[in-house]
Amino acid sequence: MPQPSTGSLDFDGARSIRTLPLVLDKRMQTSVASPSLLVRMTGIGKRFGPVQVLDGVDLEIYGGEVLILAGENGAGKSTLIKILGGVHTEFTGRIEMFGREVRPSSPLAANALGVAVIYQELSLVPSMTVADNIFLGRSLTRAGWVDDRAQRRQAQRLLDQLGIQLDVTQRVGGLSIAQQQLTEIAKALAQQTKVLVMDEPTSALSAPEVEKLFGLIRDLKQRGCGLVYITHKMEEIQRVADRITVLRDGRQVGTAPAAELPPARLIQWMVGRELGDQFPRHAAQTGADRLELDRFSVLTGRQAGRWVVEDITLRVRAGEIVGIGGLQGSGASELLLGLFGAHGRRVAGQARLNGRPLRIRSPRVAIDQGVALLTNDRKATGLILPLSVLANVTLADLPRLAPGGWRRPQRERVAVEGLSRQLSLRAASLEMEVGWLSGGNQQKVALAKWLQTGPQLLLLDEPTRGIDVGAKREVYQLMNTLTAQGIAILLITSELPELLALSDRIVVLHRGRFTAAFSRQEATAERVLAAAMGKSTGSTEATT
Amino acid sequence: MRVTEPSASPSAWVRLWANPASRALLALGLVLILGCVFHADQAFFRLGTHRDALRQASVFGLLACGMTLVIIGGGIDLAVGSVLAFVAVAFSLMSIHWGWPPWFSVPACLLLGAACGGVSGGVTAWFRVQPFIATLAMMVFARGLAKTASGGMKVSTAVKDAEGTYRYVEVPGVFRFIDSRILDGNVAVVTLIFVVCAALVWVLLARHRWGRELYALGGNEEAARLSGVPVRQAKLLSYVVCGVLAAVAGMCQAAQEQQGDPEAGIGYELTAIAITVMGGTTLAGGRGGIGLTLLGTLTIGYLDKILSINAVPEATRLMLTGIIIVVAVLAQRRSR
């Protein structure tokens, strides 16, 4: 795609104020010179069950300005924009738009108010054309029938104005992720959008496409649109930000003009929290090499010209916890899945376990070699919810527990009772369906399943996600016990304090590639976060 | 699904109701009460009525046992009715026309059933065709096989000679045996076959590693795969066993009718699904069991018998059966 020159963009921008269905009222048009307040959110709070994910957050969106919403994973950014976008309708606090108090009751209602949100998960219908998608839910009709020609014409005009080259008659399912992203943006702008919110819009885009998007953003700014932009990439923040609001643990750290918030200070705002004694980690007694990876890649799909995981070299010793740092899209989970054989043979490079080549074929083959993977979503990929605790815990070890194929109920019960005691699992009975257990106890069942297989290498993907503080502590202690027994652990966690406190070493990935490695002493939240955002500041090589 | 702490223990009645077996028993009990009320001049209290009800339900019960396996594994098998017809035709041809001894024809028929199930299972498991579509194709294909093998005619004891004249041959011994009754004429052999098959499948499901794997992949296929379950093999095997049971049902059907009818078994797959669901095995997979399907078989079998001894016209019977199935399934859902 050609990059639009700034000059033509200015021209396009001037022209499209007249022609785009972007209706700007008088107040907004006059305000382009001196930005006017479009949206003011005050004292926003939101709970998910017992967890307070947002607490007293204020957000102001001005016309003609890009507001960056920054924060770690789980800081509450997505929740905040989902409230603005009408996805979460139960919250505390006030939202004012154009001086009027509103409460978006659905995504459609938010659209009608002039707020369009482009979420990370695209909301397109793959089987329909670009034009159909752009007009989805508000089709142009003639006497009740969809007027295809009018839709195509208008969609084409819209895309031309935005400088997007796309065939409007093509099915969305056949487009690249980047093209789908652009379709999504066009869809948002086809409505009378005054506020456009983008949640990590560039995660799937290549460099020229990112340039195109930035051109669009400049264009929209000139028209007086208010933009909210969520990103984990420092470079993008520096390029597009006018103002930055930082969230941390659901609270607002502060808002400042971009010029007053250089990267170092921004990261400090994002991280700045004391690490208490909540993470017990005993000194590691490391032994021989358990896992060695040499230029290991996972070949499941290419994004922007790279494999999801590319050329990872790393080493995990017996009794060691190696943490993998990275933000969304870092490829860390894919690395673990690839190692575990979940993607079959679609891997490249060398992997050795205990000095012998690791055969990567299927999860079964991995389990038989002493590898276990706790997946990051226990309900979707970890547990069989309708089955009992007993059935779940024994599932991965059935070949050993049922020699010759016939199960030995007594043997299974003894094994599961032992693990259940070790993990202090609280379940009414072992016959209970795991779907009825609390999150923490479900996680213990998932862990017990893997301990039952007698692993030597434990791959833990978000082992404490969605469980309460007490259960978290128990998981940390279990990890200590396991490493003391000589098990090696590769750990992914999106909670930075947890990563820093539990890992003996940390390697950081950014978009599938290694960016830095830190020893326990070297690792600080600022350094890890900077590396995860793509700044290659790694001080030591990956393998030591 | 709600997540609660185990300490919140529900009352005994709620727990009883939450147990699918007690609900299936309740449904059966209601049907039996219905029979006691509408006993059609004491007909319901005669032993012969019950013997016949069980005999007539046996063929459906065999199909339902196979269906239960497939449904627990998260699939469905629409081909069982056609496989039944194909095997009925094949069994009749082998026994009546070709004069094969039972020790040869019975294994051959079982193999045919296994092959049919294996093809639909293989297509589903390896090529990831939705089970509904794969078995729908097999349903049409096996019906075609049945018609090809029979030449479109019922394969009966009236055998056409080389000159084109028909002559009647004797009903083969194996047909007469399957259609007979044992234990002083109190139990039909067909019923016995059903009970034995159900017991075998029950043992596999409850005690074999494969049974556990089937529940796991029906409950959450991706989680099962990531737990090292050989998902494709386990799935394939469920369709194979389902095909074998359909073959057994086909042989029973042929023996009872003393002929192989290529049009037999139309719609039986739906009855088998209805029985399975009535019992409490959920169509979503991962939950259920053979015990439940046995109860479901009795419920549907008795319901049919009670309606027929009361001379309810078939049209009304069909409508009533439809309503009762929906009510039974709704009752099951309420408790979740």
Side-chain angles (χ1 to χ4, degrees):
Chain A
M1 281 181 217
Q3 296 180 21
S5 72
T6 326
S8 78
L9 254 178
D10 288 343
F11 176 74
D12 274 356
R15 188 190 58 190
S16 37
I17 286 178
R18 289 192 308 274
T19 48
L20 260 186
L22 246 165
V23 176
L24 309 173
D25 58 31
K26 283 254 157 56
R27 200 168 11 149
M28 285 176 61
Q29 279 189 2
T30 53
S31 68
V32 172
S34 57
S36 74
L37 184 65
L38 300 182
V39 175
R40 169 182 279 151
M41 300 172 82
T42 37
I44 301 295
K46 168 80 188 166
R47 295 173 79 88
F48 286 123
V51 188
Q52 184 89 34
V53 287
L54 282 179
D55 191 8
V57 174
D58 300 335
L59 190 75
E60 289 175 345
I61 305 170
Y62 292 93
E65 183 190 76
V66 176
L67 172 71
I68 295 275
L69 201 50
E72 286 181 76
N73 291 337
K77 307 181 299 272
S78 293
T79 310
L80 185 62
I81 63 161
K82 279 183 177 162
I83 287 173
L84 181 63
V87 176
H88 295 316
T89 53
E90 278 181 31
F91 59 89
T92 54
R94 279 164 60 90
I95 302 179
E96 282 172 57
M97 285 189 195
F98 323 112
R100 231 159 12 100
E101 181 167 2
V102 293
R103 242 183 133 78
S105 55
S106 70
L108 222 61
N111 282 347
L113 288 166
V115 176
V117 183
I118 299 171
Y119 297 103
Q120 279 170 307
E121 318 85 52
L122 299 179
S123 60
L124 301 171
V125 183
S127 58
M128 291 166 67
T129 66
V130 172
D132 288 338
N133 267 290
I134 286 176
F135 291 100
L136 192 65
R138 12 175 224 105
S139 305
L140 302 178
T141 53
R142 185 193 286 163
W145 300 90
V146 175
D147 188 348
D148 260 332
R149 280 175 51 205
Q151 284 198 2
R152 281 202 295 272
R153 214 170 39 238
Q154 290 209 21
Q156 190 62 57
R157 205 166 60 207
L158 178 70
L159 292 181
D160 289 347
Q161 283 163 1
L162 297 173
I164 299 170
Q165 284 171 356
L166 263 183
D167 178 2
V168 295
T169 60
Q170 226 185 326
R171 287 195 315 111
V172 163
L175 300 176
S176 72
I177 300 289
Q179 289 170 318
Q180 293 188 18
Q181 189 83 267
L182 293 172
T183 308
E184 183 86 42
I185 291 170
K187 180 181 162 190
L189 294 179
Q191 305 167 47
Q192 308 190 343
T193 303
K194 296 162 197 160
V195 174
L196 179 64
V197 184
M198 289 178 275
D199 192 353
E200 297 214 53
T202 59
S203 54
L205 300 188
S206 65
E209 289 161 343
V210 171
E211 288 306 318
K212 173 139 280 172
L213 180 71
F214 286 175
L216 256 174
I217 287 173
R218 277 196 298 274
D219 194 3
L220 291 168
K221 260 170 76 171
Q222 296 217 322
R223 288 186 212 151
C225 257
L227 291 115
V228 180
Y229 194 101
I230 297 180
T231 182
H232 283 310
K233 293 178 190 146
M234 190 58 77
E235 183 212 347
E236 292 180 3
I237 295 177
Q238 285 168 301
R239 282 197 56 187
V240 300
D242 292 313
R243 237 160 22 100
I244 303 175
T245 291
V246 179
L247 299 185
R248 188 205 307 150
D249 296 334
R251 290 169 176 277
Q252 187 165 9
V253 182
T255 301
E260 295 173 19
L261 214 53
R265 184 120 178 268
L266 173 60
I267 286 178
Q268 205 186 355
W269 276 27
M270 288 165 68
V271 174
R273 112 184 82 179
E274 292 300 308
L275 306 181
D277 188 34
Q278 49 187 331
F279 308 103
R281 172 69 186 146
H282 309 317
Q285 295 281 324
T286 56
D289 285 345
R290 268 281 138 79
L291 177 75
E292 296 160 86
L293 296 183
D294 189 17
R295 297 181 67 82
F296 185 79
S297 301
V298 179
L299 318 175
T300 49
R302 285 175 93 86
Q303 278 194 358
R306 312 165 168 214
W307 296 112
V308 284
V309 174
E310 203 163 283
D311 288 345
I312 302 298
T313 298
L314 108 131
R315 183 179 300 180
V316 190
R317 297 196 193 90
E320 193 179 34
I321 300 178
V322 172
I324 306 180
L327 298 164
Q328 263 149 9
S330 69
S333 296
E334 290 300 312
L335 171 64
L336 298 196
L337 284 167
L339 262 178
F340 189 60
H343 296 309
R345 295 167 202 254
R346 281 174 292 168
V347 294
Q350 284 209 338
R352 297 171 81 80
L353 185 73
N354 295 328
R356 298 219 307 272
L358 176 70
R359 282 175 295 126
I360 296 177
R361 215 158 294 165
S362 68
R364 180 78 261 157
V365 171
I367 294 166
D368 291 343
Q369 291 173 99
V371 182
L373 168 65
L374 185 83
T375 59
N376 58 19
D377 187 342
R378 60 180 164 268
K379 288 189 176 174
T381 55
L383 296 169
I384 319 280
L385 295 180
L387 291 199
S388 66
V389 172
L390 201 124
N392 270 284
V393 174
T394 54
L395 187 61
D397 204 35
L398 279 179
R400 283 200 309 173
L401 284 168
W406 295 102
R407 290 176 33 236
R408 316 260 166 93
Q410 195 49 41
R411 194 163 158 180
E412 289 180 358
R413 178 165 290 280
V414 169
V416 176
E417 274 172 355
L419 280 167
S420 153
R421 260 195 309 277
Q422 189 191 341
L423 300 178
S424 46
L425 177 74
R426 283 175 290 274
S429 81
L430 297 182
E431 274 69 37
M432 190 169 176
E433 287 185 13
V434 293
W436 294 91
L437 296 176
S438 69
N441 281 308
Q442 285 185 352
Q443 194 70 332
K444 287 179 188 173
V445 172
L447 277 164
K449 172 175 76 180
W450 293 117
L451 296 188
Q452 173 61 34
T453 64
Q456 301 192 15
L457 172 66
L458 199 48
L459 311 173
L460 300 179
D461 194 349
E462 303 282 1
T464 62
R465 175 178 283 177
I467 65 179
D468 60 72
V469 183
K472 277 186 185 177
R473 215 187 147 78
E474 286 177 288
V475 171
Y476 302 148
Q477 262 151 2
L478 178 70
M479 287 166 69
N480 277 326
T481 316
L482 296 176
T483 48
Q485 293 165 7
I487 293 175
I489 294 180
L490 248 183
L491 168 74
I492 298 179
T493 169
S494 55
E495 289 183 38
L496 208 41
E498 193 174 282
L499 183 76
L500 293 169
L502 295 176
S503 310
D504 299 319
R505 282 187 302 117
I506 295 175
V507 296
V508 185
L509 305 188
H510 174 71
R511 303 186 76 180
R513 292 210 186 200
F514 168 84
T515 49
F518 303 99
S519 69
R520 188 176 175 80
Q521 291 73 31
E522 293 168 323
T524 63
E526 287 80 4
R527 283 173 158 184
V528 171
L529 199 55
M533 292 169 99
K535 292 182 80 177
S536 210
T537 57
S539 53
T540 49
E541 83 255 39
T543 50
T544 51
Chain B
M1 184 167 299
R2 270 182 321 122
V3 177
T4 39
E5 284 298 325
S7 57
S9 94
S11 78
W13 282 111
V14 171
R15 259 181 295 151
L16 195 66
W17 182 242
N19 182 358
S22 45
R23 287 202 307 264
L25 264 175
L26 184 73
L28 177 59
L30 286 177
V31 166
L32 289 178
I33 290 171
L34 202 70
C36 293
V37 175
F38 300 100
H39 50 67
D41 294 333
Q42 311 292 318
F44 189 70
F45 304 124
R46 266 179 240 122
L47 182 63
T49 308
H50 295 270
R51 192 184 59 212
D52 285 353
L54 290 179
R55 183 179 59 79
Q56 286 160 0
S58 294
V59 166
F60 292 117
L62 281 164
L63 296 180
C65 282
M67 191 67 75
T68 304
L69 284 175
V70 174
I71 287 179
I72 285 174
I76 192 126
D77 191 347
L78 300 179
V80 290
S82 297
V83 172
L84 174 145
F86 172 48
V87 171
V89 166
F91 192 46
S92 304
L93 279 175
M94 292 171 189
S95 307
I96 302 173
H97 286 219
W98 304 340
W100 288 12
W103 55 263
F104 199 68
S105 60
V106 171
C109 286
L110 294 179
L111 264 181
L112 285 178
C116 290
V119 170
S120 28
V123 168
T124 304
W126 265 267
F127 300 109
R128 291 172 172 266
V129 176
Q130 284 164 346
F132 190 95
I133 303 299
T135 59
L136 182 71
M138 178 50 74
M139 169 175 135
V140 177
F141 184 79
R143 182 69 61 190
L145 275 180
K147 291 189 176 178
T148 308
S150 62
M153 316 269 284
K154 289 176 180 169
V155 181
S156 65
T157 49
V159 181
K160 207 175 182 181
D161 274 338
E163 303 93 65
T165 55
Y166 284 94
R167 69 184 165 81
Y168 284 88
V169 297
E170 209 179 319
V171 176
V174 62
F175 276 37
R176 273 181 281 129
F177 170 70
I178 293 175
D179 198 25
S180 66
R181 296 196 295 246
I182 53 170
L183 298 178
D184 295 335
N186 285 327
V187 177
V189 171
V190 181
T191 306
L192 199 68
I193 292 174
F194 164 50
V195 171
V196 169
C197 286
L200 284 176
V201 175
W202 181 83
V203 169
L204 280 175
L205 258 186
R207 281 300 163 84
H208 198 272
R209 180 184 150 188
W210 170 62
R212 206 24 97 55
E213 291 169 346
L214 211 51
Y215 279 103
L217 82 94
N220 184 340
E221 185 166 341
E222 183 61 7
R225 190 177 76 88
L226 291 174
S227 300
V229 170
V231 167
R232 287 183 295 202
Q233 288 86 336
K235 213 188 262 187
L236 173 70
L237 197 55
S238 71
Y239 287 91
V240 169
V241 175
C242 185
V244 168
L245 288 169
V248 175
M251 289 188 278
C252 293
Q253 176 96 353
Q256 286 177 315
E257 294 187 351
Q258 302 196 343
Q259 64 180 16
D261 181 358
E263 303 287 346
I266 290 177
Y268 282 23
E269 59 280 341
L270 301 181
T271 308
I273 294 169
I275 288 173
T276 307
V277 172
M278 276 285 277
T281 300
T282 49
L283 273 182
R287 282 199 182 91
I290 290 297
L292 295 177
T293 297
L294 278 179
L295 293 175
T297 308
L298 292 178
T299 309
I300 295 262
Y302 269 113
L303 186 67
D304 208 49
K305 194 73 200 170
I306 290 161
L307 293 173
S308 84
I309 58 175
N310 284 286
V312 177
E314 202 205 355
T316 317
R317 245 154 73 186
L318 291 175
M319 288 190 284
L320 276 175
T321 311
I323 291 166
I324 286 168
I325 290 171
V326 169
V327 169
V329 173
L330 280 179
Q332 287 175 10
R333 206 178 48 182
R334 280 188 74 83
S335 66
R336 291 240 161 73

